[in-house]
Amino acid sequence: MKHTASAHDVYRYGRRPLDAIFAPDSVAVIGATERAGSVGRTILWNLITNSFGGTVYPVNPKRPSVLGIKAYKSIAEVPDRVDLAVIVTPARTVPGVVRECVEAGVQGAIIISAGFKEIGPEGVELERQILAEARKGRMRIVGPNCVGVMNPLSGLNATFAGQMALPGSVGFISQSGALCTSILDWSFEENVGFSAFVSIGSMLDVGWGDLIYYLGRDSRTKSIVIYMESIGDARSFMSAAREVALSKPIIVIKPGRTEAAAAAAASHTGSMTGSDGVLAAAFRRVGVLRVDNISDLFNMAEVLAKQPRPNGKRLGIVTNAGGPGVLATDALITNGGELAELSERTIGELDAILPPHWSHGNPVDILGDADRERYSKSLEIVMNDESCDGTLVILSPQAMTDPTTIADELKQYSRGTGKPVLSSWMGGVDVAAGERILNQSNIPTFRYPDTAARMFTYMWKYSSHLKSLYETPQLPTGDDEADRARAEATEVINAVRSSGRTLLTEFESKRVMAAYGIPTVDTRLARTADEAVSIAAKIGYPAVLKLNSETITHKTDVGGVRLDLDDEDAVRSAFEAIREGVLRHIGTNGKSVDDHFQGVTVQPMERLDGYELIMGSSIDPQFGPVLLFGAGGTLVEVFRDRALGLPPLNTTLARRMMEDTKIYTALKGVRGRKSVNLEALDNFMVRFSHLVVEQPWIKEVDINPLLASEDRIVALDARIVLHEPDTETLPKTAIRPYPSRYVGEWTTDKGTKLTIRPIRPEDEPHMHQFHSRLSEQSVYQRYMQSLKFSQRVEHTRLTRICFIDYDREMALVAEKENGTGEPEILAVGRLSKEPGTNEAEFSVVIIDEYQRHGIGTEILSRLLDVARDEMVERVYAYMLPENAGMRSTCEKLGFDVVAEDDLYKASILL
């Protein structure tokens, strides 16, 4: 029987990598002291006065005891195994301390000490030494230059903060230690509780990805809120956020929107900060919600925990005063939301219950004398309007208003229609009782209506982000045409690199574009005026001549573009004029004009009967290749109407990039002009993103102008710049594209021809069918529990199975055609990396009628090949005792299979 079970469902069989930091059984404070006001004393005091159920060992070579507890001269002298070391010694001593910890078997460390990369090269070298020592023992490190870590649910307080955080469900991570202490003070006033409270410092080892993944697995953490100054390992962050955000909100405040703030952040953390626009695009891509101020961090954590997410951005507002409704409307529109346009039916129903002078529109002003019944009926009618995606109810205290009884009446609507309900009870003490009733009923309450409206806009933005969370684009797989395209483009690029150049000519650039199916205007190369005349006669007048140069990037700067050439004389004159323009440009730099002038390209004159767009890509220092789309032409830098995105794209993501630009309104058709071919533009952008992903030597590429009209999309000009020849490490994409290298054909022991390939988002309906063909026994052996068919094929679950992050896990499906051209999945094998380790867990499940055909052995063998490619050192799985078939398969492939409690564990070192 070819099935295995996931140990992720059986936590008792192993601790998670960061448990040594968040759930230690023993802690050593290295640098503990009794000096009043010192960090070493404060941390020790916090550990011993907040019971976490473990033992604390002070380490101080100069004292026999600290705060009445026996002290040890070094970590090596501590008589018991230590899980966590909190290091509070001078920076220069830390590499040696870490070495001693590794030798003593310590699995986790928090380095409080400062004086590392934030001070310059000397600190960078210290960090290199620390990390090298830690890697010898697979020790995980938080810090350096941090406040520490709290686990309020267990009582662990390994920080030098003044108080222990309240227990709760929010996982808080901050890159700023000072902000941690401020947030802690604020949390007591607002009664906000935490499942984890982490000062991450400069992220020498443990970074955003590690912590997001850890807290994502923690059932007690309902939301993750982050103060971020730099992204660190972008792919790790994107990978973890993409996996976790579907099940729990990740909310980030990131300073650095302005150049001055970005510079300050870089100075503080010793890290580079990339474009804020790129960061915003990255957050959207993985479902992370970005907010603008600290209070919004926790407001959104509360709102998303209490209310369903809206399906759109249209808000209905019910208020007993006009002014607050206007304030809410302004905040709504300013932040990108919309007022719901109430239907005639809704207006009629409101007419029937409201006084004649109500507002007769949205916001729905139910007037100052509104009682509990008027509020209740109005809210219910507005909530049920199909145009409303959510509702905000506002109460302004007036003489005839009873905030408490109205709140008590409205609590029944906390989750009535699946749409969010927010409230604003304006006032102080008089409305406090009503606020408590609403909050306890899971209707979030805000003191000001504009704040509530802003929270609604955040909610729909979050919903919008999640819709594309797992839409990993598919790159061409096993397609001969796609393979030829890559080969042809690579040949052009390699030829340019061999010549020592980094700049492709326009002619070469368009050859690369054409290889990827990107439509370009007919472009031919002429090295002499006679050749130009001959080509122009063939393609027809009017013609265009453009400089073909291996050194000059922008042709218009040297007069290198000549348009509307109607005859032979015009072409000859244009050729000479372009050559003379190059000569003037180079001046007397000692080179001949031939070094910069390699002739011209001749093209037909295209009438600009459409819109001029730009499509480009450049390298971001944090996220690698980034795509740009927007309004193009000669004024592209003036209007700056553009959107950013991360490759690779699919058509949905391409359309969303378009929607983020002002010119998109025109592209859809405006003032009698028909819409451009948006589907063709979608496909163009997807192909362009494939080019960027598959040709890593490209440093910059842009198509400007890109002509888009009703009947065609065509690149009129193109420019490609390569990385310098001595570049040692080429930037990688922040999101890993479809791994086509793992696609292959195979024939079973019984002659069935199969394709084995990585899973795709489009496989969801096929996985539904796959699960319908699994027996109860197969399901039980795979999951170690009985799961109903309806549970296994629930949309959200299948989404997570099919829309995977290839950087974190690899799922291979074995499929055959079912005779109608549709694929039929027979088996699925999955390899899941354990974050922070070099280990991965595998699982395999096969439909019953195809078991014992050799499929399990082949898939597991291929998973081991993937593991080797991905630098995994150990692969393992747990399985039930009765799963003899899988045990036999593992033994055949070289696994060690041993009994472990009531399961078998198979493992292999690669």
Side-chain angles (χ1 to χ4, degrees):
M1 304 280 287
K2 298 296 191 288
H3 317 278
T4 62
S6 168
H8 293 321
D9 300 322
V10 197
Y11 284 111
R12 60 191 169 128
Y13 293 101
R15 285 164 62 85
R16 293 176 290 171
L18 298 187
D19 278 345
I21 294 171
F22 285 93
D25 292 326
S26 54
V27 181
V29 181
I30 303 176
T33 177
E34 289 194 355
R35 181 164 52 85
S38 68
V39 173
R41 185 186 194 281
T42 303
I43 291 174
L44 181 62
W45 179 256
N46 283 342
L47 283 166
I48 63 178
T49 56
N50 295 277
S51 176
F52 64 94
T55 308
V56 181
Y57 300 98
V59 175
N60 186 320
K62 298 180 180 179
R63 296 186 60 89
S65 66
V66 181
L67 297 180
I69 307 171
K70 176 178 172 56
Y72 298 88
K73 292 184 177 180
S74 69
I75 189 72
E77 294 188 11
V78 176
D80 299 313
R81 182 186 177 99
V82 173
D83 293 324
L84 172 65
V86 184
I87 301 173
V88 201
T89 63
R92 67 181 183 280
T93 68
V94 174
V97 171
V98 169
R99 183 187 315 114
E100 293 174 358
C101 288
V102 169
E103 291 170 353
V106 178
Q107 293 297 297
I110 301 172
I111 301 178
I112 305 294
S113 316
F116 295 93
K117 68 180 175 183
E118 70 274 9
I119 68 169
E122 180 183 350
V124 171
E125 172 58 21
L126 287 174
E127 288 195 1
R128 187 198 64 76
Q129 295 173 21
I130 292 169
L131 198 57
E133 296 294 343
R135 290 289 180 264
K136 295 176 183 178
R138 295 184 179 179
M139 172 194 281
R140 301 309 310 273
I141 295 173
V142 170
N145 191 15
C146 69
V147 173
V149 173
M150 292 184 194
N151 184 343
L153 299 177
S154 70
L156 175 73
N157 185 359
T159 76
F160 58 88
Q163 300 182 68
M164 179 69 164
L166 299 173
S169 61
V170 175
F172 176 64
I173 314 169
S174 174
Q175 208 166 0
S176 166
L179 187 71
C180 277
T181 56
S182 299
I183 291 292
L184 195 59
D185 292 340
W186 173 87
S187 70
F188 295 127
E189 296 177 8
E190 299 294 327
N191 199 35
V192 174
F194 300 91
S195 58
F197 196 91
V198 185
S199 168
I200 199 171
S202 57
M203 299 188 297
L204 169 62
D205 175 34
V206 173
W208 302 117
D210 299 295
L211 292 170
I212 288 170
Y213 193 80
Y214 186 86
L215 294 175
R217 282 184 170 186
D218 179 17
S219 61
R220 301 170 300 179
T221 298
K222 304 304 180 187
S223 58
I224 301 169
V225 299
I226 292 172
Y227 173 84
M228 176 186 290
E229 291 180 348
S230 64
I231 197 72
D233 185 338
R235 184 172 272 195
S236 173
F237 168 79
M238 299 284 283
S239 178
R242 188 167 175 267
E243 178 170 331
V244 171
L246 193 64
S247 59
K248 57 186 67 174
I250 301 172
I251 308 160
V252 174
I253 181 170
K254 167 68 171 68
R257 291 182 184 269
T258 64
E259 292 184 8
S267 174
H268 180 63
T269 63
S271 300
M272 291 186 67
T273 55
S275 161
D276 190 72
V278 176
L279 189 71
F283 286 165
R284 287 195 301 270
R285 182 68 180 266
V286 295
V288 168
L289 176 63
R290 184 180 188 178
V291 298
D292 293 326
N293 55 63
I294 292 172
S295 62
D296 287 351
L297 274 178
F298 298 96
N299 282 338
M300 285 310 301
E302 176 190 11
V303 168
L304 292 171
K306 290 181 175 179
Q307 287 291 304
R309 300 190 302 269
N311 291 322
K313 56 183 177 181
R314 302 166 301 178
L315 180 65
I317 300 173
V318 176
T319 178
N320 69 340
V326 173
L327 287 174
T329 300
D330 280 347
L332 176 72
I333 304 301
T334 300
N335 288 279
E338 295 178 1
L339 276 178
E341 186 173 341
L342 303 179
S343 68
E344 292 184 7
R345 178 178 176 178
T346 297
I347 297 294
E349 291 177 356
L350 291 170
D351 272 334
I353 66 165
L354 295 178
H357 300 298
W358 77 280
S359 60
H360 291 86
N362 186 22
V364 179
D365 186 351
I366 61 176
L367 306 181
D369 60 348
D371 58 12
R372 61 187 295 171
E373 183 177 1
R374 192 187 299 173
Y375 258 104
S376 178
K377 290 182 177 179
S378 299
L379 178 58
E380 183 174 0
I381 291 170
V382 174
M383 286 176 63
N384 289 327
D385 190 299
E386 291 185 359
S387 70
C388 280
D389 298 309
T391 313
L392 167 61
V393 56
I394 302 170
L395 182 142
S396 175
Q398 301 182 34
M400 61 289 289
T401 304
D402 188 339
T404 305
T405 58
I406 292 173
D408 191 65
E409 179 70 22
L410 298 186
K411 67 183 182 183
Q412 62 182 304
Y413 299 110
S414 62
R415 289 185 181 269
T417 63
K419 301 176 183 179
V421 179
L422 308 180
S423 64
S424 176
W425 253 226
M426 301 177 67
V429 176
D430 292 341
V431 302
E435 286 181 317
R436 283 193 298 272
I437 291 171
L438 291 170
N439 283 322
Q440 291 170 1
S441 303
N442 285 333
I443 297 180
T445 305
F446 301 92
R447 185 167 298 178
Y448 305 111
D450 52 342
T451 303
R454 189 172 72 253
M455 294 305 104
F456 174 78
T457 63
Y458 279 138
M459 292 179 78
W460 80 256
K461 288 175 183 177
Y462 179 61
S463 294
S464 177
H465 294 176
L466 291 184
K467 287 180 182 178
S468 61
L469 186 57
Y470 287 100
E471 295 181 11
T472 304
Q474 177 190 355
L475 294 183
T477 58
D479 184 331
D480 291 340
E481 290 299 321
D483 290 341
R484 279 197 292 270
R486 285 193 290 272
E488 184 177 344
T490 301
E491 182 182 354
V492 174
I493 290 171
N494 285 343
V496 173
R497 292 183 57 230
S498 297
S499 71
R501 290 187 286 127
T502 58
L503 176 67
L504 275 67
T505 66
E506 181 187 359
F507 184 72
E508 291 166 334
S509 296
K510 285 184 175 177
R511 281 188 61 195
V512 172
M513 300 292 171
Y516 277 85
I518 294 172
T520 61
V521 65
D522 185 8
T523 303
R524 307 186 192 186
L525 184 60
R527 300 188 180 278
T528 67
D530 287 341
E531 287 182 7
V533 168
S534 176
I535 293 172
K538 292 176 182 177
I539 65 176
Y541 292 103
V544 173
L545 263 60
K546 295 182 181 178
L547 168 66
N548 189 61
S549 174
E550 297 178 351
T551 60
I552 298 174
T553 302
H554 298 291
K555 294 181 283 291
T556 54
D557 292 346
V558 298
V561 178
R562 302 289 165 154
L563 308 175
D564 270 324
L565 307 176
D566 292 324
D567 53 32
E568 176 181 338
D569 290 341
V571 171
R572 288 187 183 278
S573 297
F575 186 95
E576 293 303 325
I578 291 174
R579 191 174 188 280
E580 290 173 4
V582 172
L583 187 60
R584 286 194 300 271
H585 174 71
I586 62 173
T588 57
N589 64 2
K591 290 189 176 183
S592 74
V593 67
D594 292 334
D595 293 325
H596 302 276
F597 179 79
Q598 285 78 45
V600 299
T601 58
V602 185
Q603 307 168 24
M605 181 67 194
E606 295 283 348
R607 298 301 173 189
L608 300 181
D609 56 349
Y611 295 96
E612 290 186 272
L613 306 174
I614 184 172
M615 187 79 209
S617 175
S618 60
I619 304 300
D620 179 82
Q622 296 178 125
F623 291 94
V626 176
L627 303 175
L628 177 146
F629 171 85
T634 57
L635 298 180
V636 63
E637 294 297 333
V638 176
F639 294 121
R640 302 184 66 83
D641 175 26
R642 49 100 169 135
L644 301 178
L646 299 179
L649 297 178
N650 58 22
T651 53
T652 300
L653 295 169
R655 185 63 61 90
R656 288 186 177 170
M657 279 187 70
M658 289 188 222
E659 291 170 351
D660 283 340
T661 63
K662 295 182 178 66
I663 200 170
Y664 178 67
T665 302
L667 298 179
K668 291 187 296 180
V670 64
R671 293 194 173 185
R673 296 186 66 171
K674 294 183 178 180
S675 168
V676 306
N677 189 336
L678 293 174
E679 290 73 21
L681 190 53
D682 289 337
N683 291 325
F684 167 87
M685 294 173 68
V686 171
R687 288 194 294 270
F688 184 87
S689 77
H690 291 181
L691 164 64
V692 170
V693 168
E694 294 181 355
Q695 301 296 337
W697 275 101
I698 292 179
K699 180 180 181 181
E700 298 176 23
V701 52
D702 63 62
I703 299 172
N704 181 32
L706 168 67
L707 184 64
S709 65
E710 174 190 355
D711 55 1
R712 64 177 183 156
I713 307 292
V714 61
L716 299 185
D717 204 351
R719 169 179 169 270
I720 294 178
V721 180
L722 305 181
H723 291 283
E724 295 296 329
D726 58 352
T727 301
E728 295 183 0
T729 303
L730 296 175
K732 62 182 180 180
T733 57
I735 296 174
R736 184 173 179 176
Y738 187 81
S740 56
R741 62 185 295 189
Y742 297 127
V743 178
E745 306 300 318
W746 182 74
T747 302
T748 71
D749 295 346
K750 302 196 175 179
T752 305
K753 293 183 178 180
L754 302 179
T755 297
I756 299 178
R757 59 168 177 80
I759 203 166
R760 295 191 296 253
E762 295 84 355
D763 286 324
E764 182 177 349
H766 308 307
M767 286 299 296
H768 189 285
Q769 183 184 38
F770 170 78
H771 276 277
S772 72
R773 301 173 67 183
L774 293 176
S775 67
E776 290 184 7
Q777 181 184 25
S778 294
V779 172
Y780 182 76
Q781 290 195 348
R782 165 63 179 89
Y783 299 105
M784 293 189 183
Q785 59 180 314
S786 296
L787 287 176
K788 295 180 180 178
F789 176 70
S790 59
Q791 293 176 288
R792 288 184 279 122
V793 298
E794 194 271 327
H795 171 70
T796 302
R797 183 177 184 276
L798 286 185
T799 293
R800 297 178 70 88
I801 288 173
C802 297
F803 293 14
I804 65 171
D805 177 354
Y806 302 114
D807 213 37
R808 187 174 293 279
E809 62 181 331
M810 193 67 65
L812 299 180
V813 300
E815 67 177 13
K816 72 180 186 70
E817 287 198 15
N818 62 6
T820 65
E822 287 293 317
E824 178 183 351
I825 293 177
L826 308 181
V828 182
R830 190 172 297 265
L831 187 75
S832 301
K833 298 178 187 176
E834 187 66 42
T837 73
N838 293 319
E839 300 183 353
E841 184 180 10
F842 79 87
S843 63
V844 180
V845 61
I846 305 168
I847 61 175
D848 291 62
E849 59 263 45
Y850 280 89
Q851 294 171 14
R852 292 174 293 277
H853 286 218
I855 299 176
T857 301
E858 181 64 19
I859 285 186
L860 182 52
S861 177
R862 293 192 182 209
L863 288 177
L864 292 178
D865 289 340
V866 171
R868 294 184 184 97
D869 288 347
E870 305 291 317
M871 308 301 291
V872 173
E873 296 179 0
R874 178 174 170 271
V875 175
Y876 69 95
Y878 291 90
M879 59 195 74
L880 294 168
E882 57 265 37
N883 200 348
M886 194 68 242
R887 293 206 306 276
S888 175
T889 296
C890 289
E891 289 169 348
K892 186 189 336 182
L893 292 174
F895 282 79
D896 292 323
V897 182
V898 297
E900 189 170 298
D901 294 331
D902 55 348
L903 293 178
Y904 278 87
K905 181 179 182 179
S907 64
I908 186 171
L909 293 175
L910 301 178

